[in-house]
Amino acid sequence: MPGFELIGQEERDALNALMDEGGVFFAHGFDAKRKRYHVRELESDFREFLSCHDALCVSSGTAAIKVALKSLGVGFGDEVITQGFNFIADFEAIIDCGATPVVAGSDDTLNMDPAQLEGLITDKTKAIMPVHMLGVPARLDEIFAIAARHNIPVIEDACEAIGAKYNGRYAGTLGAAGVFSFDYGKAITTGEGGLVILNDEKMAVTARQYHDHGHMNLPDIPRGLDRAGVAGFNYRMSELNAVVGKVQLKKLDYIVAESGKRYKALDQGITSGVYKKRAVPEGAEPAYDTYIVEVADAQIREHAIQLLGDMGFGTKNLPDAMNWHCSVFWDHMGFDTKTQAQLDTLALLERQIAIPVMLGKPVEDFAELAVALNGLTG
């Protein structure tokens, strides 16, 4: 989660340059007042970096989810299978499309349990949306195999996993669609912003039109005379966000590499049997922004949480933001939140501690933290 830690002179210079070249903050039109189209350039940068078919910049990760769902035609009466350990945005987007979320529990990766997936598929299932929570990819081989048997598209929610890989490819680029978030707490940030990855040309066209009030952006036609291809909405990214994003993307490899050193210091240093380490699927490489352990002993868990606070690390989402990351708490959204899979997910999450990996702390501090955690007893 260190994107905001590295905001500095480069981002300031990029914003000042935007002002000097005309100060157009809008991503479309105003050709005579501007020299560049930064949102389009950022999309091109992401296509190259991620080696994907199409990349569409949008206003937030939540918007990215909604646009991806719309590109698949998700609507009233449909069902979308996702997971109980999540962020509330996935459920908000599904419900906002008029569809119903169907919730799978988690396996030892804390992501979607493929063993539960097939039993949740019905003739109403329009999409399957695994979420790569806190930097670790889900078991995509099994999920894709089940989806393929039923001819159901997969949307990867990689909002918390930019930079993670699965079988050598970037998480978020393997499904029919993928989504990323660049809010202020993500590995790279544009302040607010998101990205939609589309691997089908028809979906890509629909998404691009939908996020821009339906604009077809027909060539050689002024924007005011343009036509609408679909009923759309406004989920556009601004040029302000894009210029920051272009700078931050150049820092991503460094961020992942340096985060990895700190993550591995914990992984190698925590040796006490009271901690069960989060599973990482074979062939997966995390984004390394969060390290999670399970602690069955409630007293040791409380002591560990206190230790993290005392040493200046704190926790990330588990346990400090459970209400926003577990579907059991979302009764206000009008779906059944108390299925056994969701209750089991809550019980699993209540045993976890998520340690944020920050670049502001040297690797040695994470090694010292591991030693301190090993010393805790009931």
Side-chain angles (χ1 to χ4, degrees), residues 13-212:
D13 289 345
L15 289 165
N16 285 335
L18 174 62
M19 297 298 295
D20 292 340
E21 65 191 35
V24 179
F25 301 160
F26 188 53
H28 301 270
F30 297 95
D31 298 28
K33 289 179 60 65
R34 70 198 307 155
K35 295 179 180 177
R36 302 171 71 174
Y37 287 85
H38 292 281
V39 170
R40 306 286 85 83
E41 290 179 10
L42 181 56
E43 290 170 349
S44 178
D45 290 348
F46 273 117
R47 284 194 295 272
E48 182 178 354
F49 183 89
L50 297 170
S51 298
C52 58
H53 171 72
D54 192 59
L56 173 66
C57 289
V58 293
S59 54
S60 69
T62 307
I65 299 163
K66 177 83 176 294
V67 172
L69 291 167
K70 284 290 189 177
S71 76
L72 282 171
V74 173
F76 288 94
D78 292 332
E79 294 176 349
V80 177
I81 300 173
T82 187
Q83 63 198 55
F85 181 36
N86 209 315
F87 180 59
I88 197 169
D90 281 298
F91 288 73
E92 290 170 330
I94 292 167
I95 290 169
D96 206 41
C97 287
T100 300
V102 176
V103 189
S106 294
D107 61 14
D108 56 358
T109 69
L110 303 184
N111 295 320
M112 181 181 286
D113 182 359
Q116 299 184 28
L117 179 55
E118 200 139 25
L120 298 175
I121 295 172
T122 72
D123 58 2
K124 296 181 180 179
T125 305
K126 190 74 170 183
I128 297 169
M129 186 157 53
V131 188
H132 307 312
M133 285 297 291
L134 295 174
V136 171
R139 287 192 163 95
L140 290 179
D141 284 346
E142 295 94 325
I143 292 169
F144 283 142
I146 295 166
R149 284 201 297 272
H150 295 270
N151 196 30
I152 298 171
V154 173
I155 299 173
E156 291 179 80
D157 182 341
C159 284
E160 298 184 358
I162 188 164
K165 292 183 178 180
Y166 194 88
N167 292 335
R169 294 176 59 189
Y170 282 106
T173 68
L174 291 89
V179 297
F180 296 96
S181 172
F182 307 130
D183 73 32
Y184 200 63
K186 295 301 190 291
I188 60 174
T189 182
T190 60
E192 281 283 12
L195 189 75
V196 189
I197 304 300
L198 290 314
N199 287 319
D200 174 85
E201 183 59 27
K202 183 178 179 181
M203 287 172 57
V205 170
T206 300
R208 196 163 290 277
Q209 293 177 358
Y210 175 74
H211 98 293
D212 183 25

